[in-house]
């Protein structure tokens, strides 16, 4: 049917598509371009840098902003990896139970997980702020890992049970009939089948924890635990009169690239996982 | 004798089986517990505490004499307030304004991003060379860290002196021979539009993905039949595709509303709720009440209101999801 399109329609679609790509990508490209501009170029309103400079990257890695950025990067990576690991392990048990076993209240548990996932963060942060200060978790890694788990666990349970439901579990028994031990059947048959789902869930969890801002800015106060999103809001220029656009762009590129690469590599699976979770419930 | 023994063994086996199912039932639930208990503790307990605090007069700077939860050292409040904090939420001008701003912000960001998302989904549903690449690129805005995205909209796009928007205007004006384009203070002149535009840019891919899933679940033979019957492309879209997409549209509106109700990063970074209170939404107002005014009880009451609002929206979301689920099973 596409072949019947007139040339005019084709040109129309092509122009529309181009406009849309520009709309989606222009700001992204602009960030990259800004991060590569020399300080004197930053305000020239030109789309491309007149000369490429790594000055902004030097600023955040070795210059003035490095103290703020490097510690934040370390905190973010550490806190998010730990939170992702714990939530995926816990969610694996829960999803296994939900996918393989019949028991009353299964749907209720999944609905609860979903209800918890949409719980407004801002309503939880005030009591946590007070409690954390009283029990000494304020401005520490565990003080962020625990609330991050509340963000990542529900969605992990949700997506993992969608993945686990698709696994042909009979194959485990088939392998045992063929003489494999329990452990062998699990390791050689089930793990390879489950791994993609687990990995996808881990990426989604990491993404959610990585992007959090409310907890990051409310429950930390120093470099001890402040994550990247909160630190970005504290960036200032090298002088009072200079806006930190260059440093922010460079930092944004650095913190976005790993996520983009990971998600693009596993895009198909992530989209499948999310839509299966949401649509097939 | 043998028959009797067999019978005895049978009952014994049955009893064993029964006992093992009881034990099994316990074992079945065991793996669920850690994740579930933890999730409930970490989200529901603080919420119960929030409800408790919401009926107290409690300013962190003026601690009273009454211990909240004696023995747990959660601080001291002044006095019992009853529903007066809630009355404040709904009658105080600032807070009422924040409620209105939340509604305007959420509704406009959701609607615009759903419309653009639908256009993109329809475009991506066609077969054309480079479709995979185009889809990948279109998802990009969703992957940029929200705070980073908001900061860049503020500094790199909206900034009147060196932002890209004024840069482009300048370039267009110069094409027509003018010396200098207009200098527009985007954030000051149209604060709400500025916040909404940044949110729309970030959330359109999310809507697009849901709607694309809906489009691809549409059976192709019906479209073919419509084509054979001589329906135009627009008619097919209007009378077949759109009704089919209804539930997916509802789902994207509801999920989008749930998340955008909680918008905080964009308001915090782009406008700081200003100018004045022009873009202060409820989450940002709660943050100010808590971390600037230290009115603990009031912030808690506003938090409870946000939760109730979210639950109302979410009830509809759950209903949509379960009706989608029923359709899937019925097919």
């Amino acid at each position: 049917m596409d072949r019947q399109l007139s040339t005019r329609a084709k040109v129309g679609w092509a122009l529309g598509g181009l406009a849309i790509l520009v709309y989606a990508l222009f700001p992204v490209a602009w960030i990259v371009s800004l991060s590569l501009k020399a300080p004197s170029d930053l305000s020239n309103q030109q789309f491309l840098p007149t000369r490429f400079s790594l000055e902004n990257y030097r600023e955040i890695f070795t210059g003035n902003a490095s103290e703020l950025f490097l510690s934040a990067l370390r905190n973010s990576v550490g806190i998010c990896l730990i939170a992702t690991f714990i939530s995926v392990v816990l969610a694996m048990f829960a999803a296994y139970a939900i996918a393989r076993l019949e028991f009353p209240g299964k749907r209720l548990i999944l609905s609860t997980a979903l209800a918890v996932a949409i719980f407004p963060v801002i309503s939880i942060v005030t009591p946590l702020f007070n409690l954390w200060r009283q029990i000494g978790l304020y401005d520490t890694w565990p003080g962020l890992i625990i609330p991050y788990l509340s963000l990542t666990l529900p969605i992990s349970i949700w997506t993992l049970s969608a993945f686990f439901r698709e696994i042909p579990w009979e194959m485990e028994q088939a392998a045992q009939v063929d003489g494999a031990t329990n452990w062998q059947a699990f390791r050689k048959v089930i793990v390879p089948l489950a791994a993609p789902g687990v990995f996808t869930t881990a990426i989604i969890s990491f993404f959610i924890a990585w992007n959090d801002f409310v907890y990051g800015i409310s429950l930390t106060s120093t470099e001890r635990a402040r994550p990247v999103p909160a630190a970005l809001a504290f960036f200032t220029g090298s002088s009072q009169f200079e806006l930190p656009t260059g440093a922010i762009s460079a930092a944004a590129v650095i913190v976005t690239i790993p996520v983009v690469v990971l998600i693009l590599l596993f895009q198909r699976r992530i989209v499948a996982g999310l839509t299966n979770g949401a649509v097939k419930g | 004798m043998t028959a009797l023994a067999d019978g005895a063994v049978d009952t014994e086996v049955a009893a064993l089986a029964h006992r093992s199912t009881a034990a099994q039932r316990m074992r079945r639930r065991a793996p669920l517990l850690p994740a579930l208990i933890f999730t409930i503790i970490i989200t529901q307990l603080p919420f119960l505490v929030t409800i408790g605090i919401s009926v107290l007069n409690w300013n962190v700077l003026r601690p009273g004499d009454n211990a909240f939860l004696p023995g747990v050292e959660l601080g001291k409040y002044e006095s019992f307030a009853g529903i007066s904090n809630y009355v404040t939420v709904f009658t105080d001008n600032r807070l009422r304004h924040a409620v209105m701003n939340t509604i305007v912000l959420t509704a406009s960001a959701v609607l615009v991003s759903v419309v653009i998302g639908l256009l993109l989904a329809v475009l991506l549903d066609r077969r054309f060379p480079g479709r995979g690449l185009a889809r990948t690129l279109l998802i990009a805005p969703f992957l940029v860290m929200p705070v980073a995205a908001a900061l860049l909209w503020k500094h790199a796009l909206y900034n009147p002196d060196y932002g890209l928007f004024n840069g482009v205007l300048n370039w267009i004006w110069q094409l027509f021979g003018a010396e200098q384009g207009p200098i527009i203070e985007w954030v000051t002149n149209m604060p709400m539009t500025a916040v909404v535009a940044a949110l729309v840019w970030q959330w359109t891919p999310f809507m697009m993905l849901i709607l694309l899933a809906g489009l691809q679940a549409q059976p192709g033979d019906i479209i073919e039949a419509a084509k054979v019957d001589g329906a135009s492309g627009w008619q097919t879209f209007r009378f077949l595709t759109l009704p089919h997409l209804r539930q997916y549209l509802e789902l994207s509106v509801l999920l989008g509303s749930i998340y955008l109700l909680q918008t905080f990063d964009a308001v915090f970074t782009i406008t700081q709720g200003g100018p004045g209170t022009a873009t202060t939404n409820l989450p940002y107002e709660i943050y100010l009440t808590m971390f600037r005014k230290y009115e603990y009880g009031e912030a808690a009451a506003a938090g409870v209101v946000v939760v109730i609002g979210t639950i109302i929206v979410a009830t509809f979301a759950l209903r949509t999801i379960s009706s989608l689920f029923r359709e899937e099973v019925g097919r």
Side-chain angles (χ1 to χ4, degrees):
Chain A
M1 69 179 215
D2 282 3
R3 257 174 239 123
Q4 291 164 4
L5 280 178
S6 64
T7 328
R8 231 183 78 205
K10 258 188 209 157
V11 170
W13 277 102
L15 280 181
L18 199 68
I20 284 162
L21 278 185
V22 167
Y23 156 81
L25 285 187
F26 214 49
V28 178
W30 178 239
I31 299 171
V32 177
S33 154
L34 271 180
S35 76
L36 290 168
K37 280 184 171 182
S40 58
D41 258 10
L42 272 175
S43 54
N44 68 357
Q45 294 184 334
Q46 300 288 314
F47 186 69
L48 291 173
T50 46
R51 65 185 172 86
F52 286 92
S53 141
L54 292 176
E55 190 56 38
N56 296 318
Y57 291 93
R58 224 169 283 137
E59 166 88 7
I60 59 169
F61 280 116
T62 56
N64 284 331
S66 69
E67 208 173 312
L68 194 61
F69 183 69
L70 285 181
S71 64
L73 197 60
R74 200 173 45 238
N75 290 334
S76 255
V77 170
I79 290 169
C80 295
L81 281 181
I82 295 172
T84 304
F85 180 77
I86 297 176
S87 88
V88 168
V89 169
L90 284 178
M92 254 158 58
F93 289 116
Y96 177 85
I98 288 171
R100 282 207 70 182
L101 311 171
E102 276 310 322
F103 55 88
K106 201 156 108 169
R107 283 195 65 78
L108 183 73
I109 286 169
L110 269 181
S111 312
T112 314
L114 192 67
V116 166
I118 55 164
F119 213 79
V121 169
I122 196 78
S123 311
I124 304 176
V125 79
T126 40
L128 276 188
F129 170 71
N130 205 33
L131 181 63
W132 271 197
R133 279 193 322 167
Q134 301 289 339
I135 62 177
L137 279 178
Y138 182 69
D139 203 22
T140 62
W141 277 28
L144 278 184
I145 290 171
I146 295 170
Y148 281 2
L149 283 177
S150 78
L151 295 177
T152 56
L153 254 179
I155 194 97
S156 302
I157 295 177
W158 190 256
T159 40
L160 261 184
S161 14
F163 274 113
F164 280 6
R165 244 196 312 256
E166 307 283 310
I167 292 180
W169 293 97
E170 318 82 69
M171 283 179 65
E172 190 181 26
Q173 271 152 13
Q176 282 166 358
V177 170
D178 288 346
T181 64
N182 269 342
W183 171 242
Q184 277 175 329
F186 179 74
R187 204 173 58 90
K188 295 248 164 84
V189 178
I190 296 306
V191 169
L193 283 173
V198 172
F199 202 65
T200 306
T201 309
I203 293 178
I204 296 172
S205 291
F206 186 83
F207 180 64
I208 291 173
W210 184 251
N211 282 344
D212 159 79
F213 181 65
V214 178
Y215 286 133
I217 200 151
S218 314
L219 300 180
T220 64
S221 59
T222 64
E223 286 100 68
R224 251 175 83 199
R226 184 182 287 142
V228 171
L232 280 185
F234 286 104
F235 266 26
T236 49
S238 25
S239 78
Q240 201 188 328
F241 306 101
E242 201 176 306
L243 284 162
T245 317
I248 288 176
S249 326
V253 170
I254 296 289
V255 298
T256 303
I257 282 178
V259 178
V260 171
V261 168
L262 267 183
I263 295 203
L264 292 190
L265 282 180
F266 300 96
Q267 190 202 149
R268 211 169 280 273
R269 232 176 253 149
I270 290 172
V271 173
L274 284 176
T275 46
N276 282 349
V279 176
K280 292 192 186 142
Chain B
M1 182 66 204
T2 41
L4 188 70
D6 273 358
V9 168
D10 272 356
T11 39
E12 203 162 300
V13 167
L16 255 178
H18 188 72
R19 209 175 311 142
S20 77
T21 46
Q24 253 171 12
R25 237 179 283 142
M26 284 309 292
R27 266 222 318 275
R28 276 172 190 185
R29 291 191 196 135
L32 264 171
L33 291 177
L36 205 65
I37 292 174
F38 188 84
T39 320
I40 288 173
I41 287 179
I42 196 66
T43 55
Q44 302 311 297
L45 225 55
F47 181 56
L48 290 180
V49 176
T50 305
I51 294 179
I53 295 167
S54 72
V55 294
L56 301 176
N57 280 324
W58 187 348
N59 186 308
V60 177
L61 295 183
R62 292 181 271 111
D65 307 319
N66 307 304
F68 184 74
L69 287 184
V72 199
E73 295 267 334
L74 270 180
K76 296 193 165 161
Y77 66 93
E78 223 167 323
S79 61
F80 184 71
I83 59 161
S84 74
N85 285 327
Y86 288 93
V87 174
T88 313
V89 171
F90 284 106
T91 53
D92 183 75
N93 244 339
R94 274 186 73 91
L95 282 162
R96 231 192 13 229
H97 206 71
V99 173
M100 282 314 295
N101 279 338
T102 312
I103 295 170
V104 171
L105 184 85
T106 311
S108 43
V110 167
L111 289 181
V112 177
S113 56
V114 164
V115 169
I116 301 180
L118 179 63
L119 285 175
L120 295 181
V122 170
L123 192 76
L124 284 184
D125 194 37
R126 314 181 135 249
R127 234 172 268 286
F128 59 88
R131 181 168 76 159
L133 182 71
R135 190 180 62 185
T136 302
L137 293 176
L138 283 178
I139 299 173
F142 195 54
L143 305 182
V144 178
M145 185 182 275
V147 183
L151 278 169
L152 285 151
W153 275 78
K154 179 185 181 187
H155 291 304
L157 296 178
Y158 291 142
N159 187 294
D161 296 326
Y162 54 78
L164 192 62
F165 285 165
N166 281 349
V168 168
L169 286 182
N170 204 10
W171 176 71
I172 295 173
W173 255 248
Q174 278 171 354
L175 273 189
F176 291 99
E179 188 91 334
Q180 165 85 46
I183 292 179
I184 300 176
E185 302 262 357
W186 300 94
V187 177
T188 323
N189 292 350
M190 39 186 105
M192 189 57 101
T193 318
V195 175
V196 169
L199 286 173
V200 165
W201 178 73
Q202 185 134 52
W203 280 89
T204 303
F206 177 82
M207 309 298 188
M208 177 192 85
L209 285 177
I210 295 179
L211 295 173
L212 190 59
L215 281 176
Q216 290 178 343
Q218 187 180 25
D221 45 348
I222 297 177
I223 305 289
E224 281 303 312
K227 204 130 276 179
V228 171
D229 289 346
S232 72
W234 168 248
Q235 282 171 329
T236 323
F237 179 76
R238 170 70 189 77
F239 294 106
L240 288 175
T241 310
L242 220 48
H244 163 81
L245 274 185
R246 211 197 77 208
Q247 282 180 318
Y248 291 88
L249 282 166
E250 281 174 12
L251 183 67
S252 52
V253 166
L254 292 169
L255 287 182
S257 314
I258 288 170
Y259 285 111
L260 283 162
L261 262 180
Q262 309 181 28
T263 301
F264 179 77
D265 342 23
V267 173
F268 183 95
T269 40
I270 297 180
T271 62
Q272 257 100 51
T277 55
T279 53
T280 307
N281 65 347
L282 258 184
Y284 190 67
E285 181 64 39
I286 293 174
Y287 178 83
L288 290 183
T289 314
M290 180 62 204
F291 294 96
R292 297 287 177 273
K293 287 159 66 186
Y294 301 103
E295 285 292 351
Y296 205 10
E298 226 175 279
V304 173
V305 172
V306 174
V307 171
I308 292 171
T310 312
I311 289 174
I312 293 172
V313 179
T315 318
F316 289 105
L318 280 177
R319 199 170 300 160
T320 311
I321 291 174
S322 58
S323 70
L324 272 177
F325 176 62
R326 266 201 302 280
E327 209 165 77
E328 197 86 13
V329 173
R331 212 181 271 159

